[in-house]
Amino acid sequence: MAEVDDSRKPMFAGLSDVSISADIPVEGEINVPVGTPSQDDEYSTLDEPVKDTILRDLTAVGKKFVHVMYPKKSSALLRDWDLWGPLLLCVTLALMLQGNSVDSKEEGGPQFAEVFVIIWFGSVIITLNSKLLGGTISFFQSLCVLGYCIMPLTVAMVVCRLVLLGGSGTVSFIIRLVVVTASFSWSTFASTAFLVDSQPPNRKALVVYPVFLFYFVIGWMVLTFSPSA
Amino acid sequence: MMASPDDLKFQEFEEATDLLSADPGATTLSMSGSSSTAQGASGEIKLDMSDNEEGREESSELLGGEKQTSGFWTFEYYQSFFDVDTMQVLDRVKGSVMPLPGRNFIKHTLRSSPDLYGPFWICVTLVFSVAISGNLSTFLSSMGDPHYHYRPQFHRVTIAAVVIFLYAWLVPLAVWGFLTWRQREERQQKGYSFLETVCVYGYSLFIYIPTSVLWILPFEWLQWLLIVVAMVISGSVLVLTFWPVVRDDTKLTAFSTVATILVLHALLAIGCKMYFFQTATFTVTKTVPIPTHSPNHTAVMGTKSY
């Protein structure tokens, strides 16, 4: 990859140097379907107590959350994908964002279904886009990364709601703006760090832009959330 | 020269790609008969320089002229529509905002490799920029009003998405269908493919993105000025593209085709502005009762305002 970069100098070449190379072991066994006990002969989990099964998967999800908080380049994270984390984050965010049912449907915030659709269809479209452009990442790995990187925005949503409890004046708006901007940049940066290596070098910006747009829209939804009068 | 069967064509290209990788600057001639072969071949050399192996599996892309040799149910078929690099997309965007007379967007900038990346993501960006800017402008214009409570108006995104995607897909379909029908009737030169029409329409919408952001500023004269500027630029891209195909037809058909294209484009711009960017006067009349002379009218206005 270095030789091509020297001769062609693609734009945004610095994107590939974003994170430290470190192979960090991640919990989870790729042969075992997440959440259900496997009947695999090599690694039979049928006899273990339910608590162990649940704890193992919860630990896997928890470790991935930590990876998002401190994004380091890790191919292990991509290999052992799961969609529990994204589902949890999406449902939490959609529940917190949905408009109050007292308001008329016309003028309110996004409904639960709208947020859900935007997050999941947005992730699918971005994944398809990166695959069509020639990316080597698999479909579900990309969904996993995009879903987990919503976490900073979910944290920002919680913070915004707490700030709004204290009033909705200009000061609270500025605090919310700063928090949302910081978390949106963090989300984009974290997902770029995981995704950008699998893309062809001349097209990195073409893949990063939709991710930026996706988190920008979610950030906008978080920022403009207003409790009913 | 033209009579070589398809298998031979493939073999020749396998040798050619080896030679190309050894000496990237070499020019090649492809064996298809279209007039844009030389340009097409040079475009393909440029594409071949990237070291992406995945997208090059389907060597059908290297054949000049016909790109869709794999069935429409395969993934590679759709991958051929996304065969662009960052610089190419940026060049196409630049070509859409700076139309020069004589520079046909399709012939000059696309050069028989239309893509779907640009039109699709420009439409998505436009949907969100129109909805968000509209929301912001409504908020800014009602800031002095104590009765106004900020609402995100999220339903606007759905409406904007439906309108813009319908425009970006149905209008090119209609234009392409009409032009192909006329060309078949009149037996004229080769027209544009459907993909090229969609592509030129998609890229011509790009100028509306900064326009919609600038519409936030609440000055009526500025908003109309921006519409005129955007329409001139965007419309001239479309006119410069479609005029050469249409001018050989009867005068009436030619002019009415071009006029219809421009009118539809104008309707989109003005419609977006009117619906999404309601100005201060509109919202003020809704919430502040205007005192009138006759008492009857005042009573009516009283019941109307909240």
Side-chain angles (χ1 to χ4, degrees):
Chain A
M1 188 159 78
E3 307 87 62
V4 178
D5 279 354
D6 284 341
S7 59
R8 283 287 306 246
K9 284 262 178 258
M11 287 179 71
F12 309 106
L15 278 175
S16 61
D17 304 330
V18 137
S19 41
I20 315 162
S21 176
D23 208 26
I24 300 151
V26 175
E27 279 266 338
E29 171 63 51
I30 199 164
N31 291 327
V32 178
V34 174
T36 57
S38 157
Q39 313 234 345
D40 203 358
D41 289 331
E42 296 172 294
Y43 187 57
S44 168
T45 55
L46 199 53
D47 296 326
E48 66 177 11
V50 173
K51 185 177 72 134
D52 279 358
T53 316
I54 294 180
L55 270 183
R56 185 178 56 240
D57 294 324
L58 278 181
T59 323
V61 170
K63 282 209 170 182
K64 289 203 184 71
F65 279 139
V66 171
H67 276 298
V68 173
M69 298 302 283
Y70 303 107
K72 296 193 189 76
K73 194 151 58 177
S74 159
S75 58
L77 173 70
L78 288 183
R79 275 201 310 269
D80 306 327
W81 59 266
D82 74 271
L83 290 179
W84 285 111
L87 181 67
L88 193 65
L89 288 170
C90 179
V91 168
T92 315
L93 194 58
L95 279 176
M96 287 198 285
L97 267 178
Q98 66 170 341
N100 198 314
S101 56
V102 174
D103 289 337
S104 77
K105 279 197 147 142
E106 286 300 299
E107 297 282 310
Q111 302 299 314
F112 181 90
E114 285 171 332
V115 178
F116 211 81
V117 159
I118 282 190
I119 291 181
W120 284 102
F121 270 104
S123 305
V124 166
I125 288 175
I126 293 176
T127 308
L128 279 179
N129 176 65
S130 85
K131 285 196 73 82
L132 284 170
L133 282 172
T136 52
I137 199 170
S138 98
F139 185 76
F140 286 107
Q141 282 170 357
S142 174
L143 279 188
C144 169
V145 169
L146 287 170
Y148 271 104
C149 289
I150 293 181
M151 192 182 72
L153 282 164
T154 313
V155 170
M157 182 75 219
V158 172
V159 171
C160 282
R161 275 215 109 142
L162 292 174
V163 168
L164 277 172
L165 283 180
S168 51
T170 319
V171 174
S172 97
F173 176 74
I174 293 182
I175 298 177
R176 284 185 290 142
L177 180 67
V178 167
V179 166
V180 169
T181 312
S183 59
F184 142 72
S185 326
W186 194 342
S187 288
T188 312
F189 174 76
S191 62
T192 309
F194 288 120
L195 285 180
V196 85
D197 283 331
S198 57
Q199 308 304 325
N202 295 331
R203 303 178 179 188
K204 289 200 196 297
L206 294 184
V207 174
V208 169
Y209 171 70
V211 175
F212 166 85
L213 188 64
F214 176 63
Y215 289 123
F216 180 81
V217 169
I218 299 183
W220 172 260
M221 291 198 291
V222 169
L223 181 63
T224 60
F225 172 78
S226 59
S228 58
Chain B
M1 181 164 64
M2 300 296 170
S4 49
D6 278 356
D7 327 311
L8 235 57
K9 258 195 213 174
F10 265 104
Q11 282 184 356
E12 277 178 353
F13 264 93
E14 263 150 38
E15 290 173 66
T17 40
D18 291 338
L19 289 173
L20 264 182
S21 49
D23 178 15
T27 49
T28 61
L29 287 175
S30 88
M31 284 295 153
S32 70
S34 75
S35 57
S36 55
T37 304
Q39 280 187 331
S42 63
E44 282 141 14
I45 290 178
K46 196 162 63 151
L47 291 174
D48 211 24
M49 290 278 285
S50 73
D51 61 47
N52 169 34
E53 294 306 319
E54 240 81 22
R56 296 290 164 274
E57 289 166 2
E58 207 52 41
S59 48
S60 60
E61 300 160 28
L62 297 178
L63 298 175
E66 286 309 305
K67 281 193 161 12
Q68 295 91 353
T69 50
S70 38
F72 64 88
W73 58 87
T74 60
F75 191 67
E76 284 75 22
Y77 174 76
Y78 298 103
Q79 216 166 20
S80 64
F81 301 146
F82 281 77
D83 210 9
V84 277
D85 296 336
T86 311
M87 288 318 296
Q88 282 180 302
V89 171
L90 290 177
D91 282 338
R92 289 170 188 201
V93 165
K94 255 191 293 190
S96 79
V97 289
M98 292 191 297
L100 296 175
R103 263 189 173 185
N104 186 331
F105 185 77
I106 289 185
K107 288 279 179 288
H108 185 90
T109 316
L110 286 188
R111 284 194 203 160
S112 14
S113 57
D115 68 300
L116 277 184
Y117 176 89
F120 180 74
W121 286 109
I122 288 175
C123 284
V124 171
T125 313
L126 185 62
V127 164
F128 285 111
S129 84
V130 163
I132 291 178
S133 306
N135 194 226
L136 271 178
S137 91
T138 313
F139 170 70
L140 283 178
S141 65
S142 324
M143 226 169 28
D145 186 357
H147 296 286
Y148 179 75
H149 185 76
Y150 173 76
R151 296 260 64 107
Q153 292 172 317
F154 200 73
H155 68 289
R156 284 181 165 184
V157 173
T158 323
I159 295 176
V162 168
V163 166
I164 287 171
F165 272 95
L166 277 183
Y167 178 82
W169 285 90
L170 287 189
V171 173
L173 182 67
V175 168
W176 171 77
F178 178 73
L179 287 179
T180 311
W181 172 66
R182 290 303 296 183
Q183 166 223 319
R184 210 164 282 160
E185 276 212 352
E186 304 284 325
R187 240 146 290 225
Q188 281 161 29
Q189 54 168 20
K190 185 165 144 358
Y192 301 132
S193 74
F194 175 58
L195 207 57
E196 288 170 336
T197 323
V198 167
C199 205
V200 79
Y201 261 91
Y203 278 105
S204 75
L205 286 178
F206 175 80
I207 188 71
Y208 287 130
I209 296 177
T211 311
S212 64
V213 172
L214 287 174
W215 274 343
I216 296 178
L217 303 172
F219 305 116
E220 189 83 17
W221 60 270
L222 179 68
Q223 292 177 343
W224 286 107
L225 177 68
L226 283 170
I227 283 196
V228 168
V229 168
M231 278 255 5
V232 163
I233 294 180
S234 188
S236 49
V237 169
L238 290 176
V239 167
L240 284 172
T241 307
F242 288 110
W243 182 249
V245 181
V246 160
R247 79 176 146 211
D248 298 327
D249 213 333
T250 63
K251 272 255 187 264
L252 180 63
T253 326
F255 277 111
S256 58
T257 313
V258 173
T260 316
I261 291 177
L262 287 177
V263 162
L264 284 173
H265 216 60
L267 278 180
L268 178 77
I270 296 177
C272 278
K273 183 201 174 300
M274 306 256 57
Y275 183 74
F276 292 103
F277 294 84
Q278 294 156 359
T279 55
T281 48
F282 185 19
T283 49
V284 163
T285 49
K286 257 175 97 171
T287 53
V288 176
I290 297 174
T292 58
H293 301 299
S294 91
N296 294 340
H297 277 241
T298 320
V300 169
M301 289 301 277
T303 52
K304 268 191 175 175
S305 67
Y306 307 126

